[in-house]
Amino acid sequence: MEEILYRIVENNRDLAQKGKLADYIPALLKADKNHIGISLKTEEGLVYKYGDYNQGFTLQSISKVVAFILAISENGMEDVFKKVGLDSTDEPFNAFTKLDLPNVNKPANPMINSGAILTTSLIKGDGEEKFKKILELTRLMANNESITFNEEVYLSEKLTGSRNRAMAYLMESKRILSGNVEDTLDTYFKQCAIEVNTVDLANLAGFISSGLPGLEFEGISNKDMMLLVKGLLLTCGMYNYSAKYTIEVGVPSKSGVSGGIMALLPRGGGIGIYSPGLDENGNSKAGLGIIKDLSRELKLNLLYDNSI
Ligand code: GLU
């Protein structure tokens, strides 16, 4: 496995420089495009690592998965899906014009920004309390008590996040979003700034794919919750590239604009990848190359049929 990770990462290293850093959150421009790392956790719990696997980066959109899990555990599945849809979308993650149409009363899904802001608003607690719960759950899932958030990235997005603010206030005006909008946004910006490395991501993925042990969900068993998260990631996890990704890679995954990719392998396995240069869809350019090669080499694609 070490040789495979080494070879695949090195074969994709060129792509890292060709990607573009996310510039709409100014602090993310400080990332080093040379960084490229991976961790792969097997179903037996062994973790293989290569490259800058230890480099810290912020979760960004990957935090939407944690917030979604928490919102379901606190509110039950029915109440959450009354407020947010389970539909894939052909729009970029930060689009929200459709939300202004008279017959649209919920964001398409919890993995686009509007849906994620809504999901975060459903987490119970005042002020800092919501964020603390998201952080605690992230630590539990990643099996790392020392995880914290990056203050500089948080403040940078808070200062420049007009687009997220606009969609939140639009949702408030349509009575889709309730509660204190600024508090919700503050929690959302902070959860996006939670800092991890690829080992944490592989553990997070493994926690979900082992059936979210120790968590309880109202109205849905842990096994079905795992199916729900996997399905959500397969259909909406990789921005506008999700459909093509499912065909080419076929592994439930979530990416974030800081350049992380979290991929769920069966039975407690998981992959974390980091390389901050992004492609036109907002996915890590080298990360995508790596996971495509890895899926082909290790036959990870769920659609793959061994007997044909
Ligand atoms: N904090 C980012 C935003 O809300 C997350 C986006 C992403 O990673 O896709 O714009």
Side-chain angles (χ1 to χ4, degrees), residues 24-25 28 58-64 93-94 111-113 116-117 153 157 161 163-164 167 188-189 191-193 239 254-259 278 281-282:
Y24 75 100
I25 303 174
L28 294 183
T58 52
L59 278 178
Q60 298 302 333
S61 257
I62 302 172
S63 71
K64 294 171 181 171
F93 65 97
N94 56 3
M111 295 297 125
I112 54 173
N113 285 10
I117 292 169
V153 175
E157 185 169 16
R163 220 184 150 77
N164 285 326
M167 69 183 80
Y188 174 75
F189 295 142
Q191 76 182 52
C192 286
Y239 308 119
K254 183 76 201 87
S255 63
V257 291
S258 57
L278 307 179
N281 296 304

Side-chain angles (χ1 to χ4, degrees), residues 3-298:
E3 188 277 328
I4 293 176
L5 295 186
Y6 158 78
R7 181 167 32 83
I8 288 181
V9 168
E10 292 309 329
N11 281 345
N12 283 284
R13 193 174 280 282
D14 279 359
L15 292 176
Q17 284 302 332
K18 294 185 183 138
K20 190 175 167 297
L21 295 175
D23 54 5
Y24 75 100
I25 303 174
L28 294 183
L29 282 172
K30 290 194 175 164
D32 181 348
K33 281 210 269 183
N34 291 314
H35 282 151
I36 181 164
I38 186 166
S39 294
L40 184 150
K41 183 177 192 175
T42 66
E43 57 186 86
E44 292 80 23
L46 286 171
V47 183
Y48 295 96
K49 310 161 205 165
Y50 180 69
D52 301 300
Y53 66 86
N54 217 4
Q55 175 61 40
F57 56 92
T58 52
L59 278 178
Q60 298 302 333
S61 257
I62 302 172
S63 71
K64 294 171 181 171
V65 184
V66 181
F68 172 71
I69 291 168
L70 187 56
I72 299 255
S73 81
E74 290 192 347
N75 299 276
M77 179 158 145
E78 210 179 305
D79 282 359
V80 171
F81 285 114
K82 261 185 215 154
K83 299 268 188 178
V84 59
L86 192 48
D87 300 314
S88 52
T89 160
D90 54 353
E91 292 188 310
F93 65 97
N94 56 3
F96 63 102
T97 44
K98 275 191 191 153
L99 268 177
D100 198 25
L101 299 174
N103 57 341
V104 175
N105 292 313
K106 44 181 169 177
N109 66 66
M111 295 297 125
I112 54 173
N113 285 10
S114 53
I117 292 169
L118 200 280
T119 313
T120 293
S121 78
L122 299 178
I123 295 166
K124 298 187 182 3
D126 296 320
E128 195 66 13
E129 234 178 290
K130 284 175 197 265
F131 172 69
K132 280 196 181 136
K133 288 190 195 171
I134 299 172
L135 182 63
E136 277 312 315
L137 184 56
T138 307
R139 288 174 172 169
L140 175 87
M141 292 170 74
N143 193 25
N144 181 356
E145 274 304 306
S146 66
I147 291 177
T148 180
F149 74 103
N150 182 317
E151 179 101 22
E152 188 186 353
V153 175
Y154 153 65
L155 290 175
S156 177
E157 185 169 16
K158 191 177 162 82
L159 273 174
T160 55
S162 315
R163 220 184 150 77
N164 285 326
R165 212 164 257 118
M167 69 183 80
Y169 280 103
L170 174 62
M171 288 194 286
E172 188 198 36
S173 77
K174 291 187 74 171
R175 300 201 164 76
I176 299 174
L177 184 70
S178 47
N180 184 307
V181 180
E182 285 303 324
D183 276 359
T184 298
L185 283 165
D186 198 61
T187 308
Y188 174 75
F189 295 142
K190 237 179 225 172
Q191 76 182 52
C192 286
I194 292 176
E195 192 163 279
V196 295
N197 60 34
T198 65
V199 181
D200 297 323
L201 276 195
N203 281 333
L204 260 163
F207 182 90
I208 301 170
S209 69
S210 63
L212 305 129
L215 301 187
E216 280 179 24
F217 304 95
E218 198 192 303
I220 181 168
S221 69
N222 280 47
K223 211 170 167 180
D224 286 341
M225 185 63 195
M226 179 182 80
L227 280 183
L228 174 61
V229 176
K230 282 186 176 175
L232 193 57
L233 298 190
L234 271 184
T235 48
C236 322
M238 301 296 284
Y239 308 119
N240 299 36
Y241 198 72
S242 297
K244 287 191 190 101
Y245 184 87
T246 293
I247 297 165
E248 292 169 357
V249 180
V251 178
S253 305
K254 183 76 201 87
S255 63
V257 291
S258 57
I261 298 179
M262 170 181 83
L264 276 59
L265 301 180
R267 295 172 292 279
I271 300 173
I273 303 176
Y274 174 62
S275 173
L278 307 179
D279 67 12
E280 62 283 6
N281 296 304
N283 292 314
S284 166
K285 203 167 171 76
L288 194 56
I290 292 170
I291 191 92
K292 276 186 193 173
D293 288 352
L294 211 51
S295 174
R296 221 170 294 126
E297 179 136 356
L298 302 177

